[in-house]
Amino acid sequence: MTELRIDALTEEPVVLAPARRGIGAARPAGLPALDARGCPFCPGQEAETEAAHLTIGEPWRVRVVDNRYPLVRPLHLAAPGFHELVIESPAHDADLATYALPHAVELFEALQSRVRTLQARTGVAAVSAFRNRGRRAGSSQPHPHTQVVALGLVPPETARRQAAVERDPQVLERLMAMEKDDGRRWIVADDGWATLCPYASHRAWETRIAPEDGALRRFSDLDPSELRALARAVVDAASRLRRVLGVPDYNVLFRDPPVGHRGVFVVDLLPRTGGDAGFELQSGIDVCVVAPESAASALRDIGERQEPPPDGSEVPDP
């Protein structure tokens, strides 16, 4: 059966078509290969990146630099802004799903610090934080990193989400209550954050971390306890996806409201298990070939992360 569902946070349609799973799908492409110069993000190669805005630890455990190949620049006419890289770990083969909690918290603290700094700059209207992992997700470097882009305009997707909140400030609160009562797409809730597969998932295995109470928030406004709990929830979700799907190519999107607004803040993890075809490109309507109810069931059943970190660089949380 196919089904048309509406994303309550954007009012965009999504086609749910489980019977088409595997039709035209491509295997994830994996991590990009290094060129002859080696990895510019590894320890000892600091001169290969721009100067650091922020470092945590000595030797460093998290490092933030300007992107050498930015999408936007301060004087860019169409969309002035800033583009930074958060180098997540000195461990080249680490990934979000393998981080011990203390390291994940440091990463989220660095990310929040840079988001706050960029939001405060004159002319910045929105800040987007996102993570590309694997070639199919748009990654050009295998070393784990997150990107932060500050724009002098509000991107269309951010504007649509904020417009939905302004029409209905309780939209997320009602949505979370409905999902919790329904239970089929609910994976786990812990310390104020819930993990679920959205009713109108835009991609197969799409996984969302949202405030369990549905309250309006901003990433930059989270207090230390909220940030720690969010870091734990995101690592847990990445670990579940890793153990169900293998090591997928995926994106992580920190969906924050425009600067100066409170709105729907969620973190979306989107495995890239297939590509957009003609219908999606022509219509602008996404097709999801794994029912979110089925995805949530598999991710719920996999349980909490049991595998140890791949090396001794991460200290387990006590």
Side-chain angles (χ1 to χ4, degrees):
M1 294 289 291
T2 61
E3 182 181 351
L4 183 68
R5 296 185 176 185
I6 304 298
D7 185 338
L9 299 183
T10 62
E11 299 185 351
E12 293 179 330
V14 173
V15 173
L16 185 64
R20 293 185 60 82
R21 185 176 182 181
I23 298 177
R27 290 184 179 274
L31 294 175
L34 289 173
D35 60 26
R37 295 173 295 177
C39 177
F41 298 164
C42 277
Q45 302 298 316
E46 289 80 6
E48 298 301 316
T49 69
E50 307 303 295
H53 291 294
L54 172 69
T55 59
I56 294 179
E58 181 59 46
W60 64 267
R61 296 185 296 275
V62 180
R63 188 166 178 263
V64 183
V65 301
D66 283 329
N67 193 321
R68 184 166 288 184
Y69 307 100
L71 292 169
V72 291
R73 297 179 184 274
L75 300 180
H76 196 292
L77 294 178
F82 307 89
H83 190 172
E84 298 181 357
L85 296 176
V86 181
I87 304 171
E88 298 178 1
S89 169
H92 182 82
D93 295 325
D95 192 22
L96 187 59
T98 71
Y99 294 153
L101 181 57
H103 186 84
V105 171
E106 288 184 331
L107 167 60
F108 275 57
E109 288 173 343
L111 183 59
Q112 186 188 59
S113 174
R114 295 313 301 167
V115 168
R116 287 173 172 172
T117 297
L118 293 173
Q119 285 176 349
R121 291 186 176 172
T122 301
V124 170
V127 178
S128 299
F130 58 92
R131 188 179 197 274
N132 305 331
R133 184 66 170 167
R135 285 188 291 260
R136 290 187 59 81
S139 176
S140 60
Q141 287 287 346
H143 198 112
H145 63 283
T146 296
Q147 303 183 53
V148 185
V149 177
L151 293 172
L153 54 80
V154 179
E157 177 72 9
T158 304
R160 280 192 293 268
R161 289 171 175 268
Q162 191 61 24
V165 169
E166 291 174 359
R167 286 191 297 270
D168 179 4
Q170 282 75 49
V171 60
L172 185 61
E173 183 179 348
R174 284 201 296 272
L175 188 62
M176 296 302 291
M178 179 197 75
E179 291 289 9
K180 189 172 185 178
D181 288 343
D182 183 289
R184 291 177 295 164
R185 294 171 292 276
W186 195 269
I187 299 171
V188 67
D190 179 37
D191 206 5
W193 297 97
T195 304
L196 66 152
C197 293
Y199 168 78
S201 292
H202 291 254
R203 291 187 176 272
W205 300 99
E206 180 175 345
T207 304
R208 172 168 295 165
I209 295 95
E212 187 176 4
D213 61 5
L216 302 183
R217 283 175 168 80
R218 297 190 58 79
F219 177 63
S220 54
D221 291 341
L222 298 180
D223 66 33
S225 63
E226 291 174 317
L227 193 68
R228 178 183 177 86
L230 176 64
R232 182 169 57 243
V234 173
V235 169
D236 177 69
S239 174
R240 290 172 189 263
L241 286 166
R242 181 186 181 102
R243 284 180 289 137
V244 170
L245 300 178
V247 184
D249 293 26
Y250 66 101
N251 300 101
V252 181
L253 308 179
F254 292 78
R255 298 194 186 272
D256 219 13
V259 172
H261 296 268
R262 288 176 69 83
V264 170
F265 167 69
V266 298
V267 180
D268 287 338
L269 289 79
L270 294 94
R272 303 299 294 271
T273 56
D276 295 333
F279 174 79
E280 294 92 324
L281 295 173
Q282 190 274 341
S283 68
I285 299 175
D286 290 329
V287 176
C288 178
V289 298
V290 176
E293 294 81 5
S294 299
S297 176
L299 293 168
R300 189 165 53 242
D301 291 345
I302 202 68
E304 296 183 358
R305 175 162 64 104
Q306 300 296 325
E307 60 189 32
D311 55 47
S313 65
E314 311 289 1
V315 180
D317 188 46

